[in-house]
Amino acid sequence: MAKTLAIREEAIKQGLEGRVNVMFTINAEGNIVDIKKRGPHPLLEDEVERIISRLPQMKPGLKDSIAVNIPYSIPIVFKLDGTSAKSMSQKGLDSDYVPFGQVDEVPIFPGCEDVSDTRACFNEKIMEHISKNFRYPEEAQKNGIQGRVSAMFTISDKGMVQNLKLRGPDKLLEDEVQRILERLPKMEPGKNDGEQVAVAYSIPVNFKLQVEDGQTSNEKKVKDYLQVAGALAVERGASVFKGQVMDRESMGIPGVDILVVGSNEAAISDFEGQFSIPVLEGQILEFQYEGLPPKRVLVFG
């Protein structure tokens, strides 16, 4: 794939970069079908579809000795470095960013310079910033629009907020969250192994309308909000769990930290909620998302 991956000339002229999430199925005949993609621009999406559609016919996957359809997903990042683009690591811990939950030293939010727990202070300051700048769009209120907007962004190695991605029930709510997060101040960048790095951070923002009994939907229980679907597989001789983290409405949740309990393995879900992480049967995966109780899943074959 690396040999055929190239940003189209027009995309290069426009300076287009970003991640395209692609999902497809290898059917029972070993052919690539049902290609779905989402990215920052149609040119990049078209290039990914061109690449994936040129994959050769394969031997189909088997279950109980019967050929079956196998879904597969992968994030592909287009990054202008003069001539090429590269594919991101499925593990999520690559040279482009480090998950907030795994970075050695988190970014320093203004006002957290002298505290002992900069991680907790960062989370508190983010929540304060959202609360201070939050405005429920009037049009959304009139139309009864509410729900959770999942926001994912990186704090670059220069301390700037970048690569903001949003997913919610309506664009009105997504636009409000974008407005809030684009007003975040410049920070001291995070560090890993003593070097400044980009840090991926995710946070849910809830929009809840008042209900008749005087209670808000914010007071509803959040137990079992995180739903996990997936299966153990073997790739290149290694055991991995490939799956998706979703909410109760089966919508993928980006930016969920995924840890293998008792080990250093970690991953982060992509914009579709997809993830892949090395793990052995009998180990436990823990899913962490800001504002929700963690969820643990026992891995079995």
Side-chain angles (χ1 to χ4, degrees):
M1 182 179 292
K3 293 181 179 180
T4 60
L5 184 61
I7 301 179
R8 292 184 178 181
E9 183 177 352
E10 183 60 29
I12 295 176
K13 288 181 180 178
Q14 296 183 32
L16 300 176
E17 295 183 310
R19 178 193 300 217
V20 176
N21 292 313
V22 59
M23 186 174 185
F24 56 90
T25 299
I26 304 166
N27 67 14
E29 286 71 47
N31 296 315
I32 303 298
V33 298
D34 194 23
I35 300 175
K36 297 178 181 178
K37 70 277 184 191
R38 172 178 287 182
H41 195 278
L43 284 173
L44 303 186
E45 293 179 342
D46 290 346
E47 175 65 5
V48 168
E49 181 169 3
R50 182 188 71 82
I51 295 165
I52 298 299
S53 64
R54 295 180 63 180
L55 286 170
Q57 186 177 26
M58 310 177 195
K59 291 184 179 180
L62 302 177
K63 183 175 177 60
D64 299 327
S65 300
I66 299 175
V68 295
N69 295 339
I70 303 294
Y72 187 80
S73 66
I74 183 172
I76 296 177
V77 164
F78 291 85
K79 190 173 182 66
L80 291 170
D81 60 2
T83 57
S84 66
K86 64 179 181 178
S87 173
M88 286 191 67
S89 162
Q90 278 284 302
K91 191 175 179 182
L93 298 177
D94 52 37
S95 60
D96 288 302
Y97 64 81
V98 180
F100 183 84
Q102 299 302 307
V103 70
D104 294 341
E105 299 178 37
V106 302
I108 305 297
F109 200 103
C112 295
E113 293 85 354
D114 300 321
V115 302
S116 58
D117 191 341
T118 53
R119 195 179 301 268
C121 186
F122 182 97
N123 288 325
E124 291 173 4
K125 291 293 186 180
I126 288 285
M127 295 303 295
E128 287 178 8
H129 175 86
I130 292 173
S131 178
K132 179 180 178 180
N133 293 278
F134 183 87
R135 291 200 310 257
Y136 207 127
E138 290 186 10
E139 187 176 347
Q141 294 184 59
K142 291 178 181 178
N143 294 324
I145 299 170
Q146 62 179 343
R148 178 187 298 257
V149 176
S150 295
M152 185 176 183
F153 57 90
T154 56
I155 299 111
S156 74
D157 57 2
K158 302 296 188 297
M160 307 298 293
V161 172
Q162 297 179 343
N163 304 321
L164 177 60
K165 295 183 181 294
L166 303 161
R167 165 169 285 174
D170 191 273
K171 191 174 185 299
L172 286 169
L173 306 187
E174 292 178 346
D175 287 348
E176 172 61 10
V177 174
Q178 180 173 344
R179 184 190 67 81
I180 294 170
L181 296 181
E182 285 180 343
R183 298 176 60 145
L184 282 167
K186 184 178 180 181
M187 310 172 200
E188 292 184 23
K191 294 182 179 180
N192 218 43
D193 296 327
E195 297 185 1
Q196 294 182 354
V197 295
V199 177
Y201 187 81
S202 63
I203 187 168
V205 180
N206 291 311
F207 293 80
K208 300 297 181 182
L209 295 169
Q210 194 79 14
V211 294
E212 292 182 359
D213 62 2
Q215 293 183 332
T216 66
S217 297
N218 279 329
E219 295 167 340
K220 293 181 179 179
K221 293 181 179 179
V222 293
K223 183 180 179 182
D224 296 329
Y225 181 89
L226 294 178
Q227 305 293 318
V228 179
L232 199 62
V234 176
E235 289 187 350
R236 299 178 182 177
S239 175
V240 298
F241 190 95
K242 300 183 66 175
Q244 184 180 26
V245 191
M246 300 167 287
D247 59 20
R248 293 195 189 99
E249 286 72 44
S250 298
M251 179 180 288
I253 305 176
V256 178
D257 288 320
I258 305 143
L259 316 172
V260 178
V261 176
S263 82
N264 293 323
E265 294 290 351
I268 186 171
S269 63
D270 66 18
F271 194 59
E272 301 293 338
Q274 305 280 345
F275 68 92
S276 178
I277 186 169
V279 65
L280 299 175
E281 184 174 359
Q283 288 186 303
I284 296 173
L285 293 179
E286 181 168 289
F287 298 81
Q288 300 176 355
Y289 193 59
E290 183 68 27
L292 296 175
K295 182 180 183 69
R296 287 194 171 194
V297 173
L298 175 65
V299 176
F300 57 91

